[in-house]
Amino acid sequence: MVKKYNGVAIAFHWIIALGVFVNLLLPNIWDAAGDANVRPLIDVHKSIGVTVLGLAAMRLLWRLTHTPPALPASYKPWEVKASHAAHWALYAFIFAMPLTGWIMDSAYKDAATHPMHWFGLFEWPRISMVMGLDAATKKSVHDGFGAAHEVLGYALWALFAAHVIGAFKHQWIDGEKELQRMMP
């Protein structure tokens, strides 16, 4: 019998995974999209990012109040530790990525004249404390958090790959029904 995650955990997992995956891809197509399409793609990127942040908060609350199913007994101790470390690292990244992006965006020199809209539906607030900084500090914050956002993106690709490879290894090499644990 497969010990599955519950439906809420599964929904959070796949919706957040899709949002993160799309947001990791979007910056790679900006150059090819043409000048007229870059700003709308950046706006979608921001909207997905703040959505992931909200969903991550709800997912973390769900995870802290609901015990996940136990890992299969066949997992070696190091695999269990690696699994837990990878999952908590993924949580850290799904918070760090949108937060660094939001801080960077709030420090954008033209933020006051270019409001951010959540999927075009309503204005998403910027961080007023960041917007209130003097111009030189704001540029430094923008550049620093922009660099952090980019580095975190590359690291998240690596963590994402390790997570998927680990799941496939357990499924196809170890013969565990790992993928079924997180399928609807």
Side-chain angles (χ1 to χ4, degrees):
M1 167 125 186
V2 176
K3 296 177 184 173
K4 290 180 63 94
Y5 285 83
N6 65 40
V8 173
I10 291 170
F12 277 138
H13 176 272
W14 290 110
I15 293 168
I16 290 171
L18 179 62
V20 167
F21 184 71
V22 168
N23 258 9
L24 287 172
L25 288 177
L26 278 173
N28 297 302
I29 64 169
W30 288 341
D31 289 340
D35 291 342
N37 297 316
V38 171
R39 178 54 48 198
L41 288 174
I42 291 171
D43 291 342
V44 168
H45 180 79
K46 292 175 187 180
S47 294
I48 292 171
V50 296
T51 302
V52 166
L53 180 60
L55 290 171
M58 291 188 292
R59 180 180 180 169
L60 182 60
L61 288 172
W62 184 264
R63 171 62 181 82
L64 293 173
T65 59
H66 294 79
T67 304
L71 292 171
S74 65
Y75 285 18
K76 296 172 184 74
W78 72 267
E79 291 175 315
V80 172
K81 287 179 184 170
S83 171
H84 291 309
H87 279 98
W88 287 109
L90 284 167
Y91 277 111
F93 275 91
I94 62 176
F95 280 98
M97 286 299 296
L99 287 172
T100 56
W102 193 10
I103 293 167
M104 173 185 62
D105 182 68
S106 296
Y108 174 52
K109 66 180 176 60
D110 294 329
T113 58
H114 292 83
M116 184 171 82
H117 291 88
W118 187 77
F119 293 109
L121 298 175
F122 58 86
E123 189 173 335
W124 182 263
R126 296 219 166 78
I127 302 168
S128 60
M129 183 177 81
V130 175
M131 287 188 68
L133 297 171
D134 65 87
T137 305
K138 220 192 287 196
K139 178 168 179 14
S140 177
V141 168
H142 179 273
D143 294 350
F145 278 87
H149 191 67
E150 186 173 350
V151 169
L152 286 169
Y154 290 120
L156 185 53
W157 270 120
L159 187 57
F160 178 79
H163 179 65
V164 170
I165 290 167
F168 288 165
K169 179 242 186 227
H170 291 302
Q171 181 79 23
W172 293 320
I173 295 174
D174 299 342
E176 293 289 351
K177 298 200 179 297
E178 186 63 33
L179 300 179
Q180 289 82 344
R181 291 165 40 91
M182 193 48 85
M183 291 294 173

